[in-house]
PDB file of all heavy atoms in Angstrom:
ATOM      1  N   ALA A  78       4.168  -1.140  -8.950  1.00 93.00           N
ATOM      2  CA  ALA A  78       3.254  -0.310  -9.611  1.00 93.00           C
ATOM      3  C   ALA A  78       3.931   0.777 -10.440  1.00 93.00           C
ATOM      4  O   ALA A  78       3.521   1.017 -11.520  1.00 93.00           O
ATOM      5  CB  ALA A  78       2.285   0.335  -8.593  1.00 93.00           C
ATOM      6  N   ARG A  79       4.831   1.387  -9.844  1.00 92.00           N
ATOM      7  CA  ARG A  79       5.615   2.447 -10.368  1.00 92.00           C
ATOM      8  C   ARG A  79       6.373   2.013 -11.625  1.00 92.00           C
ATOM      9  O   ARG A  79       6.292   2.677 -12.632  1.00 92.00           O
ATOM     10  CB  ARG A  79       6.724   2.934  -9.402  1.00 92.00           C
ATOM     11  CG  ARG A  79       6.315   4.355  -8.964  1.00 92.00           C
ATOM     12  CD  ARG A  79       5.550   4.821  -8.034  1.00 92.00           C
ATOM     13  NE  ARG A  79       5.940   4.830  -6.726  1.00 92.00           N
ATOM     14  CZ  ARG A  79       5.334   5.305  -5.793  1.00 92.00           C
ATOM     15  NH1 ARG A  79       4.167   6.052  -5.924  1.00 92.00           N
ATOM     16  NH2 ARG A  79       5.833   5.352  -4.506  1.00 92.00           N
ATOM     17  N   GLU A  80       6.901   0.738 -11.561  1.00 90.00           N
ATOM     18  CA  GLU A  80       7.625   0.273 -12.688  1.00 90.00           C
ATOM     19  C   GLU A  80       6.723   0.159 -13.868  1.00 90.00           C
ATOM     20  O   GLU A  80       6.942   0.540 -15.022  1.00 90.00           O
ATOM     21  CB  GLU A  80       8.284  -0.985 -12.336  1.00 90.00           C
ATOM     22  CG  GLU A  80       9.181  -1.466 -13.379  1.00 90.00           C
ATOM     23  CD  GLU A  80       9.716  -2.923 -13.190  1.00 90.00           C
ATOM     24  OE1 GLU A  80       8.985  -3.775 -12.997  1.00 90.00           O
ATOM     25  OE2 GLU A  80      10.843  -2.962 -13.055  1.00 90.00           O
ATOM     26  N   ARG A  81       5.561  -0.433 -13.608  1.00 90.00           N
ATOM     27  CA  ARG A  81       4.597  -0.637 -14.578  1.00 90.00           C
ATOM     28  C   ARG A  81       4.004   0.719 -15.111  1.00 90.00           C
ATOM     29  O   ARG A  81       3.894   0.798 -16.374  1.00 90.00           O
ATOM     30  CB  ARG A  81       3.447  -1.415 -14.024  1.00 90.00           C
ATOM     31  CG  ARG A  81       2.228  -1.473 -14.769  1.00 90.00           C
ATOM     32  CD  ARG A  81       1.417  -2.593 -14.401  1.00 90.00           C
ATOM     33  NE  ARG A  81       1.739  -3.750 -15.221  1.00 90.00           N
ATOM     34  CZ  ARG A  81       1.132  -4.891 -15.314  1.00 90.00           C
ATOM     35  NH1 ARG A  81      -0.045  -5.036 -14.606  1.00 90.00           N
ATOM     36  NH2 ARG A  81       1.493  -5.905 -16.006  1.00 90.00           N
ATOM     37  N   GLN A  82       3.812   1.505 -14.230  1.00 84.00           N
ATOM     38  CA  GLN A  82       3.228   2.806 -14.577  1.00 84.00           C
ATOM     39  C   GLN A  82       4.085   3.528 -15.570  1.00 84.00           C
ATOM     40  O   GLN A  82       3.752   4.006 -16.511  1.00 84.00           O
ATOM     41  CB  GLN A  82       3.154   3.666 -13.201  1.00 84.00           C
ATOM     42  CG  GLN A  82       2.394   4.853 -13.328  1.00 84.00           C
ATOM     43  CD  GLN A  82       2.454   5.570 -12.106  1.00 84.00           C
ATOM     44  OE1 GLN A  82       3.405   6.170 -11.585  1.00 84.00           O
ATOM     45  NE2 GLN A  82       1.308   5.610 -11.358  1.00 84.00           N
ATOM     46  N   LYS A  83       5.395   3.461 -15.137  1.00 82.00           N
ATOM     47  CA  LYS A  83       6.324   4.121 -16.015  1.00 82.00           C
ATOM     48  C   LYS A  83       6.475   3.463 -17.318  1.00 82.00           C
ATOM     49  O   LYS A  83       6.548   4.160 -18.461  1.00 82.00           O
ATOM     50  CB  LYS A  83       7.804   3.910 -15.323  1.00 82.00           C
ATOM     51  CG  LYS A  83       8.775   4.907 -15.853  1.00 82.00           C
ATOM     52  CD  LYS A  83       9.992   4.842 -14.947  1.00 82.00           C
ATOM     53  CE  LYS A  83       9.717   5.375 -13.637  1.00 82.00           C
ATOM     54  NZ  LYS A  83      10.893   5.289 -12.757  1.00 82.00           N
ATOM     55  N   ARG A  84       6.426   2.161 -17.417  1.00 80.00           N
ATOM     56  CA  ARG A  84       6.488   1.457 -18.575  1.00 80.00           C
ATOM     57  C   ARG A  84       5.434   1.729 -19.493  1.00 80.00           C
ATOM     58  O   ARG A  84       5.360   1.963 -20.639  1.00 80.00           O
ATOM     59  CB  ARG A  84       6.517  -0.075 -18.248  1.00 80.00           C
ATOM     60  CG  ARG A  84       6.581  -0.900 -19.442  1.00 80.00           C
ATOM     61  CD  ARG A  84       7.498  -2.063 -19.080  1.00 80.00           C
ATOM     62  NE  ARG A  84       8.895  -1.814 -19.202  1.00 80.00           N
ATOM     63  CZ  ARG A  84       9.610  -2.696 -19.637  1.00 80.00           C
ATOM     64  NH1 ARG A  84       9.303  -3.834 -19.944  1.00 80.00           N
ATOM     65  NH2 ARG A  84      10.873  -2.373 -19.654  1.00 80.00           N
ATOM     66  N   ARG A  85       4.228   1.794 -18.924  1.00 79.00           N
ATOM     67  CA  ARG A  85       2.983   2.099 -19.641  1.00 79.00           C
ATOM     68  C   ARG A  85       3.048   3.447 -20.258  1.00 79.00           C
ATOM     69  O   ARG A  85       2.724   3.758 -21.398  1.00 79.00           O
ATOM     70  CB  ARG A  85       1.814   1.948 -18.739  1.00 79.00           C
ATOM     71  CG  ARG A  85       0.595   2.203 -19.569  1.00 79.00           C
ATOM     72  CD  ARG A  85      -0.569   1.831 -18.538  1.00 79.00           C
ATOM     73  NE  ARG A  85      -1.583   1.006 -19.392  1.00 79.00           N
ATOM     74  CZ  ARG A  85      -2.381   0.187 -18.594  1.00 79.00           C
ATOM     75  NH1 ARG A  85      -2.276   0.008 -17.314  1.00 79.00           N
ATOM     76  NH2 ARG A  85      -3.263  -0.445 -19.231  1.00 79.00           N
ATOM     77  N   ARG A  86       3.640   4.339 -19.425  1.00 69.00           N
ATOM     78  CA  ARG A  86       3.659   5.715 -19.741  1.00 69.00           C
ATOM     79  C   ARG A  86       4.581   5.901 -21.019  1.00 69.00           C
ATOM     80  O   ARG A  86       4.193   6.476 -22.004  1.00 69.00           O
ATOM     81  CB  ARG A  86       4.295   6.480 -18.656  1.00 69.00           C
ATOM     82  CG  ARG A  86       4.297   7.897 -18.896  1.00 69.00           C
ATOM     83  CD  ARG A  86       2.982   8.493 -18.387  1.00 69.00           C
ATOM     84  NE  ARG A  86       2.847   9.864 -18.965  1.00 69.00           N
ATOM     85  CZ  ARG A  86       2.355  10.852 -18.152  1.00 69.00           C
ATOM     86  NH1 ARG A  86       1.994  10.530 -16.915  1.00 69.00           N
ATOM     87  NH2 ARG A  86       2.220  11.996 -18.564  1.00 69.00           N
ATOM     88  N   ILE A  87       5.666   5.231 -20.975  1.00 67.00           N
ATOM     89  CA  ILE A  87       6.602   5.378 -22.076  1.00 67.00           C
ATOM     90  C   ILE A  87       5.921   4.801 -23.318  1.00 67.00           C
ATOM     91  O   ILE A  87       6.225   5.191 -24.443  1.00 67.00           O
ATOM     92  CB  ILE A  87       7.913   4.642 -21.683  1.00 67.00           C
ATOM     93  CG1 ILE A  87       8.533   5.321 -20.566  1.00 67.00           C
ATOM     94  CG2 ILE A  87       8.783   4.468 -22.876  1.00 67.00           C
ATOM     95  CD1 ILE A  87       9.896   4.534 -20.175  1.00 67.00           C
ATOM     96  N   LEU A  88       5.343   3.613 -23.043  1.00 66.00           N
ATOM     97  CA  LEU A  88       4.683   3.022 -24.314  1.00 66.00           C
ATOM     98  C   LEU A  88       3.668   3.873 -25.023  1.00 66.00           C
ATOM     99  O   LEU A  88       3.736   3.990 -26.124  1.00 66.00           O
ATOM    100  CB  LEU A  88       3.963   1.703 -23.696  1.00 66.00           C
ATOM    101  CG  LEU A  88       3.714   0.757 -24.817  1.00 66.00           C
ATOM    102  CD1 LEU A  88       4.895  -0.021 -25.119  1.00 66.00           C
ATOM    103  CD2 LEU A  88       2.609  -0.166 -24.280  1.00 66.00           C
ATOM    104  N   VAL A  89       2.904   4.475 -24.237  1.00 63.00           N
ATOM    105  CA  VAL A  89       1.900   5.324 -24.814  1.00 63.00           C
ATOM    106  C   VAL A  89       2.474   6.635 -25.238  1.00 63.00           C
ATOM    107  O   VAL A  89       2.096   7.204 -26.252  1.00 63.00           O
ATOM    108  CB  VAL A  89       0.839   5.637 -23.753  1.00 63.00           C
ATOM    109  CG1 VAL A  89      -0.209   6.618 -24.349  1.00 63.00           C
ATOM    110  CG2 VAL A  89       0.073   4.331 -23.384  1.00 63.00           C
ATOM    111  N   ASP A  90       3.295   7.065 -24.594  1.00 59.00           N
ATOM    112  CA  ASP A  90       3.984   8.320 -24.712  1.00 59.00           C
ATOM    113  C   ASP A  90       5.077   8.192 -25.762  1.00 59.00           C
ATOM    114  O   ASP A  90       5.728   9.152 -26.111  1.00 59.00           O
ATOM    115  CB  ASP A  90       4.510   8.894 -23.449  1.00 59.00           C
ATOM    116  CG  ASP A  90       4.814  10.469 -23.626  1.00 59.00           C
ATOM    117  OD1 ASP A  90       3.927  11.092 -24.139  1.00 59.00           O
ATOM    118  OD2 ASP A  90       5.939  10.776 -23.332  1.00 59.00           O
ATOM    119  N   ASP A  91       5.488   7.027 -26.066  1.00 60.00           N
ATOM    120  CA  ASP A  91       6.566   6.716 -26.839  1.00 60.00           C
ATOM    121  C   ASP A  91       6.382   7.383 -28.314  1.00 60.00           C
ATOM    122  O   ASP A  91       5.457   7.009 -29.083  1.00 60.00           O
ATOM    123  CB  ASP A  91       6.663   5.290 -27.093  1.00 60.00           C
ATOM    124  CG  ASP A  91       7.800   4.937 -28.052  1.00 60.00           C
ATOM    125  OD1 ASP A  91       8.626   5.916 -28.184  1.00 60.00           O
ATOM    126  OD2 ASP A  91       7.930   3.930 -28.584  1.00 60.00           O
ATOM    127  N   LEU A  92       7.127   8.473 -28.464  1.00 57.00           N
ATOM    128  CA  LEU A  92       7.017   9.193 -29.770  1.00 57.00           C
ATOM    129  C   LEU A  92       8.241   9.021 -30.612  1.00 57.00           C
ATOM    130  O   LEU A  92       8.292   8.662 -31.736  1.00 57.00           O
ATOM    131  CB  LEU A  92       6.795  10.663 -29.444  1.00 57.00           C
ATOM    132  CG  LEU A  92       5.409  10.882 -28.842  1.00 57.00           C
ATOM    133  CD1 LEU A  92       5.413  12.240 -28.153  1.00 57.00           C
ATOM    134  CD2 LEU A  92       4.294  10.650 -29.839  1.00 57.00           C
ATOM    135  N   HIS A  93       9.361   9.477 -30.000  1.00 51.00           N
ATOM    136  CA  HIS A  93      10.649   9.421 -30.718  1.00 51.00           C
ATOM    137  C   HIS A  93      11.737   9.556 -29.715  1.00 51.00           C
ATOM    138  O   HIS A  93      12.826   9.939 -30.051  1.00 51.00           O
ATOM    139  CB  HIS A  93      10.706  10.491 -31.617  1.00 51.00           C
ATOM    140  CG  HIS A  93      10.364  11.790 -31.148  1.00 51.00           C
ATOM    141  ND1 HIS A  93      10.082  12.006 -29.693  1.00 51.00           N
ATOM    142  CD2 HIS A  93      10.192  13.009 -31.558  1.00 51.00           C
ATOM    143  CE1 HIS A  93       9.808  13.251 -29.423  1.00 51.00           C
ATOM    144  NE2 HIS A  93       9.942  13.978 -30.593  1.00 51.00           N
ATOM    145  N   THR A  94      11.499   9.214 -28.499  1.00 50.00           N
ATOM    146  CA  THR A  94      12.464   9.527 -27.465  1.00 50.00           C
ATOM    147  C   THR A  94      13.716   8.472 -27.692  1.00 50.00           C
ATOM    148  O   THR A  94      14.343   8.208 -26.681  1.00 50.00           O
ATOM    149  CB  THR A  94      11.837   9.184 -26.066  1.00 50.00           C
ATOM    150  OG1 THR A  94      11.178   7.920 -26.249  1.00 50.00           O
ATOM    151  CG2 THR A  94      10.923  10.387 -25.748  1.00 50.00           C
ATOM    152  N   THR A  95      13.937   8.124 -28.766  1.00 51.00           N
ATOM    153  CA  THR A  95      15.024   7.184 -28.901  1.00 51.00           C
ATOM    154  C   THR A  95      16.513   7.730 -28.708  1.00 51.00           C
ATOM    155  O   THR A  95      17.291   7.030 -28.274  1.00 51.00           O
ATOM    156  CB  THR A  95      14.948   6.544 -30.387  1.00 51.00           C
ATOM    157  OG1 THR A  95      15.012   7.735 -31.231  1.00 51.00           O
ATOM    158  CG2 THR A  95      13.812   5.725 -30.550  1.00 51.00           C
ATOM    159  N   THR A  96      16.487   8.912 -28.890  1.00 47.00           N
ATOM    160  CA  THR A  96      17.862   9.545 -28.723  1.00 47.00           C
ATOM    161  C   THR A  96      18.325   9.739 -27.339  1.00 47.00           C
ATOM    162  O   THR A  96      19.288   9.359 -26.957  1.00 47.00           O
ATOM    163  CB  THR A  96      17.876  10.962 -29.380  1.00 47.00           C
ATOM    164  OG1 THR A  96      16.727  11.568 -28.963  1.00 47.00           O
ATOM    165  CG2 THR A  96      17.830  10.832 -30.844  1.00 47.00           C
ATOM    166  N   THR A  97      17.460  10.325 -26.563  1.00 43.00           N
ATOM    167  CA  THR A  97      17.931  10.445 -25.135  1.00 43.00           C
ATOM    168  C   THR A  97      18.200   9.284 -24.374  1.00 43.00           C
ATOM    169  O   THR A  97      18.713   9.362 -23.251  1.00 43.00           O
ATOM    170  CB  THR A  97      16.844  11.300 -24.480  1.00 43.00           C
ATOM    171  OG1 THR A  97      15.603  10.925 -25.083  1.00 43.00           O
ATOM    172  CG2 THR A  97      17.137  12.780 -24.636  1.00 43.00           C
ATOM    173  N   THR A  98      17.838   8.154 -24.780  1.00 42.00           N
ATOM    174  CA  THR A  98      17.925   6.991 -24.010  1.00 42.00           C
ATOM    175  C   THR A  98      17.748   7.296 -22.544  1.00 42.00           C
ATOM    176  O   THR A  98      16.865   7.981 -22.171  1.00 42.00           O
ATOM    177  CB  THR A  98      19.341   6.442 -24.167  1.00 42.00           C
ATOM    178  OG1 THR A  98      20.217   7.409 -24.474  1.00 42.00           O
ATOM    179  CG2 THR A  98      19.452   5.422 -25.119  1.00 42.00           C
ATOM    180  N   SER A  99      18.553   6.905 -21.676  1.00 39.00           N
ATOM    181  CA  SER A  99      18.470   7.051 -20.361  1.00 39.00           C
ATOM    182  C   SER A  99      19.716   7.617 -19.725  1.00 39.00           C
ATOM    183  O   SER A  99      20.120   7.203 -18.706  1.00 39.00           O
ATOM    184  CB  SER A  99      17.989   5.819 -19.683  1.00 39.00           C
ATOM    185  OG  SER A  99      19.080   4.902 -19.841  1.00 39.00           O
ATOM    186  N   SER A 100      20.131   8.597 -20.400  1.00 39.00           N
ATOM    187  CA  SER A 100      21.439   9.115 -19.887  1.00 39.00           C
ATOM    188  C   SER A 100      21.264   9.800 -18.419  1.00 39.00           C
ATOM    189  O   SER A 100      20.389  10.642 -18.396  1.00 39.00           O
ATOM    190  CB  SER A 100      21.853  10.149 -20.858  1.00 39.00           C
ATOM    191  OG  SER A 100      20.957  11.172 -21.034  1.00 39.00           O
ATOM    192  N   LYS A 101      21.762   9.325 -17.581  1.00 39.00           N
ATOM    193  CA  LYS A 101      21.580   9.826 -16.176  1.00 39.00           C
ATOM    194  C   LYS A 101      22.207  11.199 -16.232  1.00 39.00           C
ATOM    195  O   LYS A 101      23.273  11.433 -16.468  1.00 39.00           O
ATOM    196  CB  LYS A 101      22.207   8.901 -15.232  1.00 39.00           C
ATOM    197  CG  LYS A 101      21.769   7.458 -15.292  1.00 39.00           C
ATOM    198  CD  LYS A 101      22.593   6.592 -14.628  1.00 39.00           C
ATOM    199  CE  LYS A 101      22.149   6.301 -13.342  1.00 39.00           C
ATOM    200  NZ  LYS A 101      22.340   5.489 -12.533  1.00 39.00           N
ATOM    201  N   GLN A 102      21.456  12.071 -15.640  1.00 38.00           N
ATOM    202  CA  GLN A 102      21.936  13.407 -15.668  1.00 38.00           C
ATOM    203  C   GLN A 102      22.727  13.553 -14.363  1.00 38.00           C
ATOM    204  O   GLN A 102      23.297  14.550 -14.021  1.00 38.00           O
ATOM    205  CB  GLN A 102      20.748  14.361 -15.570  1.00 38.00           C
ATOM    206  CG  GLN A 102      19.806  14.038 -16.704  1.00 38.00           C
ATOM    207  CD  GLN A 102      18.667  15.095 -16.685  1.00 38.00           C
ATOM    208  OE1 GLN A 102      18.303  15.681 -15.760  1.00 38.00           O
ATOM    209  NE2 GLN A 102      18.316  15.481 -17.880  1.00 38.00           N
ATOM    210  N   PHE A 103      22.714  12.576 -13.483  1.00 36.00           N
ATOM    211  CA  PHE A 103      23.397  12.563 -12.374  1.00 36.00           C
ATOM    212  C   PHE A 103      24.774  12.003 -12.324  1.00 36.00           C
ATOM    213  O   PHE A 103      24.981  10.998 -13.036  1.00 36.00           O
ATOM    214  CB  PHE A 103      22.596  11.734 -11.309  1.00 36.00           C
ATOM    215  CG  PHE A 103      21.623  12.709 -10.467  1.00 36.00           C
ATOM    216  CD1 PHE A 103      20.670  13.279 -11.187  1.00 36.00           C
ATOM    217  CD2 PHE A 103      21.855  12.941  -9.102  1.00 36.00           C
ATOM    218  CE1 PHE A 103      19.820  14.050 -10.438  1.00 36.00           C
ATOM    219  CE2 PHE A 103      20.895  13.583  -8.545  1.00 36.00           C
ATOM    220  CZ  PHE A 103      19.939  14.239  -9.164  1.00 36.00           C
ATOM    221  N   GLY A 104      25.598  12.636 -11.898  1.00 35.00           N
ATOM    222  CA  GLY A 104      27.060  12.122 -11.914  1.00 35.00           C
ATOM    223  C   GLY A 104      27.067  10.921 -10.993  1.00 35.00           C
ATOM    224  O   GLY A 104      27.576  11.092  -9.945  1.00 35.00           O
TER     225      GLY A 104
END
Side-chain angles (χ1 to χ4, degrees):
Chain A
R79 240 85 84 167
E80 189 186 60
R81 162 161 275 190
Q82 187 181 74
K83 197 170 296 181
R84 180 142 280 216
R85 182 170 225 156
R86 186 86 192 222
I87 292 175
L88 198 78
V89 176
D90 193 52
D91 179 19
L92 295 164
H93 52 1
T94 48
T95 50
T96 47
T97 30
T98 22
S99 59
S100 55
K101 300 164 101 162
Q102 310 184 328
F103 268 60

